[in-house]
């Protein structure tokens, strides 16, 4: 690979890392208020198609 391709790959991988961090933070933000409903969510997961 040439220098340009290496630069582009580095930038793309860095962007993917940033997006993965954001997804993790958003997952935590959504899960936090759902904690009181953990048992209900487990039951919902047993319903096919839900």
């Amino acid at each position: 690979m040439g220098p340009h391709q290496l630069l582009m790959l580095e930038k793309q991988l860095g962007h993917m890392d940033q997006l993965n961090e954001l997804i993790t933070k958003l997952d935590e933000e959504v899960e936090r208020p759902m904690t009181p409903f953990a048992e209900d969510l487990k039951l919902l997961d047993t319903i096919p198609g839900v």
Side-chain angles (χ1 to χ4, degrees), residues 12-31:
Q12 290 171 351
L13 291 174
H15 188 228
M16 288 175 59
D17 288 341
Q18 289 175 337
L19 291 174
N20 284 328
E21 288 177 23
L22 178 59
I23 289 169
T24 299
K25 289 178 184 177
L26 291 173
D27 283 344
E28 292 169 359
E29 195 66 29
V30 169
E31 287 177 16

Side-chain angles (χ1 to χ4, degrees), residues 4-16:
H4 176 73
Q5 288 84 5
L6 290 173
L7 174 68
M8 295 301 291
L9 183 58
E10 177 185 328
K11 297 302 177 189
Q12 290 171 351
L13 291 174
H15 188 228
M16 288 175 59

